[in-house]
Amino acid sequence: MKNRKIAVVGVGAVGASTAFALAVSGLATELALVDVHKAKAEGEAMDLAHAAAFIKPIQIYAGNFEDCRDAGIIIFTAGAGQKPGETRMDLLKTNYRILKDCLTQMALTDENILIIASNPLDVLTYAALKATGLSPERVFGSGTVLDSSRFRHILSEHCGVAPRNVHATVVGEHGDSEVMLWSLADIAGTRIDHFCELVGVPPIKREEVDKQVRNAGYEIISRKGATYYAVSLAIKRICESVIRDENTILSVSGLVDGHYGIDGCCLSLPSIVNSRGRGYPLELPLAAEEEAALRRSAEVLRKAIASLNL
């Protein structure tokens, strides 16, 4: 990708952590931090810029919405964060207003890639797609890339192997109705249950793991008030695949058009991510119960989208 300018809109905990991850990664040549609280953006930019002697050359500054127009990638993290006891869907009306207001000031084109990383992520991704009129491959959300990493982490801990050797994916909503794809999970080409037998560890309690993955965000929020480190690295990983044109398969959230009989919403499916954005999502063979759960997840999202009267 020739244009390695990245704009981060919203520099709260997630946005600032994302900016830090990107600055350290060396992926971007220019990093614009945009926030309605200008002083906050200026402070974050100054703090990061002072690391110039320790990182690869990069121009870091506090910008405005006009700075998004010539950015190769815009990462949208603005909005209210979850409080203890809140679901992601509880943030819908507030964060939709913030998203809509910001997008009207950006005037984006198909030269930009817009990545949504604000909750409820899938509904806001669909709203952004409708509001901008950009092609579907250019607007997508960070989706269940983080959720899939949580799934892999828990399985790796149980099986005693590195998380990178675990292939396991979460699809559907980035939220309470998400679906763990147990039927496709494997380690070294071996199904998880068989692998446990091979290495002599107890069978995995699937319901318990499902609960751990689904509730991970709530557990962290109840302890420290917010989640931001892991999601910032998930966003960095997505940007890496875009900038390097990697064709990496990631479970990002985007428009679904007939896959598994689903349409009219954005949700996460394994998709090829490259310099053009999110490629056509892969329709993998799922177990019957997984496919049914995915359709239920889509229905949750469609109802939320309908409430916005887009």
Side-chain angles (χ1 to χ4, degrees), residues 147-167:
D147 310 73
S148 298
S149 180
R150 288 169 171 162
F151 191 18
R152 294 168 66 185
H153 165 72
I154 293 169
L155 294 178
S156 73
E157 290 275 291
H158 181 88
C159 296
V161 298
R164 291 185 178 185
N165 295 132
V166 180
H167 299 280

Side-chain angles (χ1 to χ4, degrees), residues 164-183:
R164 291 185 178 185
N165 295 132
V166 180
H167 299 280
T169 303
V170 178
V171 297
E173 177 196 8
H174 171 59
D176 295 344
S177 69
E178 64 189 23
V179 182
M180 270 54 78
L181 297 185
W182 286 98
S183 68

Side-chain angles (χ1 to χ4, degrees), residues 114-129:
L114 175 62
I115 300 175
I116 303 296
S118 185
N119 284 315
L121 186 139
D122 306 282
V123 182
L124 293 185
T125 300
Y126 187 86
L129 181 61

Side-chain angles (χ1 to χ4, degrees), residues 7-281:
V8 178
V9 179
V11 289
V14 173
S17 298
T18 298
F20 175 77
L22 290 169
V24 172
S25 72
L27 288 170
T29 54
E30 190 175 344
L31 189 58
L33 307 186
V34 181
D35 199 287
V36 291
H37 302 291
K38 185 74 172 182
K40 177 69 160 65
E42 289 172 345
E44 296 291 357
M46 291 168 64
D47 199 5
L48 286 170
H50 293 166
F54 317 123
I55 59 179
K56 292 180 179 178
I58 181 173
Q59 182 184 3
I60 304 173
Y61 57 93
N64 52 45
F65 289 113
E66 289 186 0
D67 289 301
C68 297
R69 294 174 188 171
D70 65 344
I73 300 173
I74 300 101
I75 301 166
F76 188 89
T77 70
Q82 277 177 268
K83 296 182 178 69
E86 281 188 322
T87 68
R88 295 173 180 90
M89 283 298 183
D90 290 334
L91 307 173
L92 177 55
K93 294 295 174 68
T94 297
N95 285 352
Y96 172 61
R97 286 195 298 270
I98 294 170
L99 172 72
K100 191 174 180 181
D101 182 58
C102 292
L103 290 179
T104 57
Q105 301 179 65
M106 290 186 200
L108 302 181
T109 71
D110 265 335
E111 296 299 311
N112 309 114
I113 288 177
L114 175 62
I115 300 175
I116 303 296
S118 185
N119 284 315
L121 186 139
D122 306 282
V123 182
L124 293 185
T125 300
Y126 187 86
L129 181 61
K130 293 299 181 182
T132 61
L134 299 183
S135 53
E137 65 267 19
R138 310 297 284 187
V139 180
F140 57 94
S142 56
T144 55
V145 175
L146 170 58
D147 310 73
S148 298
S149 180
R150 288 169 171 162
F151 191 18
R152 294 168 66 185
H153 165 72
I154 293 169
L155 294 178
S156 73
E157 290 275 291
H158 181 88
C159 296
V161 298
R164 291 185 178 185
N165 295 132
V166 180
H167 299 280
T169 303
V170 178
V171 297
E173 177 196 8
H174 171 59
D176 295 344
S177 69
E178 64 189 23
V179 182
M180 270 54 78
L181 297 185
W182 286 98
S183 68
L184 299 179
D186 73 72
I187 299 174
T190 304
R191 292 285 178 257
I192 296 295
D193 290 340
H194 187 209
F195 188 87
C196 290
E197 293 177 12
L198 289 176
V199 297
V201 299
I204 291 174
K205 298 177 180 178
R206 294 191 177 189
E207 289 186 6
E208 189 174 304
V209 173
D210 270 29
K211 185 177 178 181
Q212 283 181 271
V213 175
R214 204 180 310 278
N215 294 334
Y218 298 127
E219 293 292 336
I220 295 168
I221 289 167
S222 71
R223 288 164 171 79
K224 58 176 277 189
T227 68
Y228 38 88
Y229 293 136
V231 70
S232 70
L233 290 171
I235 295 166
K236 188 272 295 182
R237 182 67 191 91
I238 296 167
C239 291
E240 188 174 44
S241 188
V242 172
I243 289 172
R244 294 179 175 169
D245 197 27
E246 288 184 344
N247 292 312
T248 302
I249 297 174
L250 298 168
S251 55
V252 293
S253 177
L255 185 66
V256 183
D257 186 16
H259 299 79
Y260 304 104
I262 299 168
D263 58 19
C265 68
C266 290
L267 52 72
S268 291
L269 290 173
S271 306
I272 296 173
V273 178
N274 54 34
S275 61
R276 294 180 296 281
R278 168 189 177 263
Y280 200 69

